Structures are given as structure tokens and as C-alpha cells.
Amino acid sequence: MLHRLPNIFTRSLFLLFALLFVIGSLMSCSDSSTKKNDQANEKSDLPQTAIKAGKYIILDTRTDQGDRATAKKNAENTLKKYPSLDAMVGLWAYNVPQCLEALKDVGKEGKVKLISFDEDELTLQGIKDGHIVGTVVQQPYEFGYQSVKYLKALVENQTVDLPDNKQLDIPTKVIKQENVEDFWSNLKSLQKLGQQANNSPRPTEGHYFAFVVNLPDPFWSYARAGCYKAEQDFNLVCDFKIPHDGSSTEQNRILETLIQKEGLAGIAVSPLDPNNQTEILNKVAEKVKLICHDSDAPESNRLFYLGTNNYLGGRQVGKLIKEALPEGGQIMIFVGKMDVLNAQQRRQGLIDELMDKPISG
């Protein structure tokens, strides 16, 4: 009898291991099923607007029509609806400052990555404080200064060397915590130059131009400084015009009024709705020299575009997202209006960068 005990013991161990294997398999199937169900539920929670871009999911693009209260409400609603959100990306200057305010209200600053466009002072402070990853900045001072300089050259029939695409690019810069202080200091110097020029007696003779922007925003204060400095440097007059309600209707009214003014020789404009402003822009181009800045209207008879290559700027925003979220994540995009070309180009550049698409041309 005793000599059979080892066999019984061996068979018992075998049965025990077999039973553990079966239990483990069942648990594995259960975990796999649960994981699949979780993934299915996660997918079902995504909006139909969601875009899969490599390792990233762009949930949607929220617009606010240039209204800051709406911009903050968009941010608040996003945080409520998507508690697992990884990043908020703003494509216009005021978007990320509003996102930061919404995050502060719920004590989540620093927990959701913020990536911005433009050099709003609240953004720069947020970068300095470590709440914002970084921002891709334009050079609005140069928008103002160079627009006036080129309009003067056009009126005086000087040769303006243009690339085949009729786009004069003003380079962007990437600002992060390590260079924000130097950049901000330089901005203040440019503002001081503009204030000094503005405090000087305005020229009463010389060419008369107008610089028309898209909506009220601190961003444009730097362009205004550039215009004022150009007035002094080139001895001419440049009116600075803002559609205070941020609408194309108001912008069109400003353009109509300007071309009735005696002596006006040229206009630089950032079109709010280029697809639906071709008629008014062509009317302006018949009367005076017309160029676009900041956002283009390539189907119009404008002479050329001066400003940021917004597509490449969007690619730089995408690179900042990759640095902040190397393993991927869920992203919400915020912008004022999607019918403006600069918004379309920045967004597309961002998406293409996250998808690792090659840059053509």
C-alpha cells in the first residue's frame, strides 16, 4: 500500500496543476473580455468628430467665434465631458489662457498639458510658471512694420522680389520655459519702440495706408507698434483698424469706408472669411494696393501674402504635443473660427505632424 502513495501524490499534483491552469485560462479570458469591453466603451464615448492621428486621438475642434467667455465655457465643458483628457491645444492667442483659467477653477493646472499659439502675456506667464508646455509664436511686430514697408515700395513702383507662391514668410519661434524670459524681454522692447513712435508727432504728409486686423486681441498691439515705428521711419501715415465685433461684416464695412477716403494708397488686411470676401477684396484691389497679412485670401486679387507659414506653424505645435505626450493621448483643439485660413492651415499642420506625414515641397 505504501509503495502506491507516490503515484497517488503525483496524480494529485497533476490534477491540481491542471485545475490551476483551467482557472488561470478562465481568468485570462475574463480579463481579455473586460479589456475589450473597456476599449469598446472607450470608443463608444468618443465623439464622431474624433480623429486618430498616430498615437493620438483628436477629440474635436471647438470654436468660439472670437468670444473669450465662450472660449472658457468650451474649456470647462471639455473638462467635464472628458475627465481623462491629456492635452488642450489653442490655435489662437487667447484660447490657452482661457483653458488655463478653466483648469485653475477645478484645481487641475499642470495636470492637463497646454500647448499654445502666439504670445499672449498670460500664455508667457503660464510657461514661466510651468503650467503651459510651450507656444509657437509669430512676429506680429513685423507684420505691421513689413506690411507698411512693402506697401510703400509698391506705391513707389519699386521692385518687390516675390516667390512663385506670392507668400512672404515671417518665421515663427518655439517658446518654452528655457527661453521665455529672453523672448518676453524682447517683446517689451518692441512695445516700447512702438509707444515712443506713437508719442511722437504723426506725419502729416507722405503716403497714406491702412492696416486692418481681424478682431480685438492683445496680439495686435505688437503689430500696431510695428505700424507706428514704420510711420516714423518712412514718414507716412498708417491707420490701424479693428473690427470690434470680430465679424466679416464689420471688416467689410471698414474696407468699404477706407476706399472712399481721399489719398489712401494701400491696405494690408487679415481677412476673416476669405472664401466669402473675394468680392470686397477685389473691389479694394481695384482702388488701392492690397496685400494680406496673418491670414491669406489666395483666390482674391491681393498682390501677395505676408506673414506666418501657418501650416508649418501647425507642424511645430504638433512637435510640442509629441514632446509633452510621447506615449500619445487624447487632445482637444480650440480656436476662434474655422472658416479663417490660418486656423485651417494650423490645424492641418498639427494633424499631419502627429501622423508623421512628410512635409511636401
Side-chain angles (χ1 to χ4, degrees):
M1 184 75 179
L2 290 175
H3 71 278
R4 297 179 59 189
L5 287 177
N7 290 335
I8 295 171
F9 182 71
T10 302
R11 287 164 60 190
S12 298
L13 280 177
F14 176 79
L15 290 172
L16 177 61
F17 284 126
L19 180 61
L20 289 173
F21 176 78
V22 171
I23 292 172
S25 298
L26 290 172
M27 290 179 66
S28 176
C29 290
S30 176
D31 289 344
S32 177
S33 176
T34 301
K35 187 174 181 180
K36 286 180 180 178
N37 287 335
D38 288 343
Q39 290 174 341
N41 289 335
E42 184 179 345
K43 286 184 178 180
S44 67
D45 288 340
L46 296 179
Q48 292 183 345
T49 52
I51 298 172
K52 185 78 165 62
K55 296 182 289 185
Y56 304 87
I57 296 174
I58 300 169
L59 297 168
D60 200 355
T61 301
R62 299 286 171 86
T63 60
D64 51 62
Q65 305 308 306
D67 181 72
R68 282 162 179 72
T70 303
K72 186 178 180 185
K73 182 60 69 176
N74 283 346
E76 291 169 343
N77 291 340
T78 296
L79 291 172
K80 289 176 184 176
K81 188 170 183 179
Y82 302 104
S84 299
L85 185 71
D86 296 295
M88 305 170 89
V89 180
L91 298 183
W92 281 12
Y94 60 85
N95 291 123
V96 160
Q98 297 304 315
C99 290
L100 180 56
E101 285 301 308
L103 285 168
K104 286 181 176 179
D105 288 346
V106 295
K108 294 185 71 172
E109 63 270 29
K111 296 178 181 177
V112 177
K113 304 295 185 184
L114 293 175
I115 296 96
S116 188
F117 207 98
D118 289 330
E119 50 269 58
D120 190 289
E121 291 197 355
L122 293 173
T123 295
L124 299 179
Q125 186 63 51
I127 294 172
K128 187 177 175 182
D129 294 340
H131 298 323
I132 298 173
V133 173
T135 186
V136 175
V137 300
Q138 306 181 81
Q139 299 189 62
Y141 179 91
E142 294 298 332
F143 290 6
Y145 191 91
Q146 297 296 333
S147 290
V148 175
K149 175 183 173 181
Y150 279 110
L151 284 173
K152 178 178 181 291
L154 290 169
V155 168
E156 294 178 354
N157 295 317
Q158 298 176 23
T159 300
V160 176
D161 292 328
L162 294 174
D164 292 340
N165 63 5
K166 294 186 178 181
Q167 294 183 1
L168 293 175
D169 291 346
I170 296 178
T172 54
K173 300 176 181 179
V174 176
I175 305 302
K176 297 189 284 188
Q177 201 166 36
E178 60 265 26
N179 62 349
V180 67
E181 288 277 15
D182 289 343
F183 175 75
W184 205 346
S185 176
N186 183 58
L187 273 187
K188 291 172 182 176
S189 298
L190 294 176
Q191 281 281 48
K192 188 175 180 180
L193 278 176
Q195 289 166 359
Q196 290 172 345
N198 187 38
N199 292 333
S200 303
R202 293 190 73 185
T204 56
E205 298 180 345
H207 302 302
Y208 172 32
F209 301 127
F211 188 91
V212 183
V213 304
N214 51 16
L215 47 79
D217 193 274
F219 172 83
W220 291 115
S221 63
Y222 303 108
R224 187 194 291 268
C227 289
Y228 287 157
K229 187 67 170 63
E231 275 192 336
Q232 299 298 319
D233 287 356
F234 304 123
N235 193 37
L236 49 80
V237 177
C238 182
D239 281 346
F240 195 90
K241 298 293 185 181
I242 305 171
H244 289 288
D245 65 358
S247 72
S248 59
T249 300
E250 174 65 7
Q251 191 177 63
N252 291 347
R253 187 196 65 76
I254 290 172
L255 293 172
E256 287 277 10
T257 302
L258 282 170
I259 59 176
Q260 304 304 319
K261 289 193 173 184
E262 184 177 352
L264 184 77
I267 294 176
V269 61
S270 175
L272 271 159
D273 185 7
N275 291 334
N276 294 307
Q277 287 181 285
T278 303
E279 184 177 349
I280 179 64
L281 292 173
N282 287 348
K283 185 177 180 180
V284 172
E286 289 176 2
K287 301 267 189 179
V288 300
K289 303 295 184 184
L290 175 68
I291 65 174
C292 288
H293 67 87
D294 179 56
S295 191
D296 200 7
E299 300 304 314
S300 73
N301 293 333
R302 57 88 171 121
L303 296 170
F304 58 84
Y305 164 76
L306 180 149
T308 300
N309 183 320
N310 285 292
Y311 175 79
L312 293 181
R315 299 284 305 221
Q316 288 178 305
V317 171
K319 291 182 190 302
L320 281 174
I321 295 171
K322 286 178 172 179
E323 289 178 20
L325 298 171
E327 300 304 317
Q330 293 188 356
I331 299 162
M332 184 68 79
I333 298 174
F334 301 87
V335 71
K337 301 181 180 184
M338 274 307 299
D339 47 9
V340 180
L341 190 58
N342 65 12
Q344 297 167 16
Q345 292 172 333
R346 291 172 196 174
R347 179 178 179 273
Q348 192 59 55
L350 181 163
I351 293 170
D352 288 354
E353 180 63 33
L354 295 184
M355 288 183 169
D356 293 320
K357 288 187 177 181
I359 298 176
S360 59

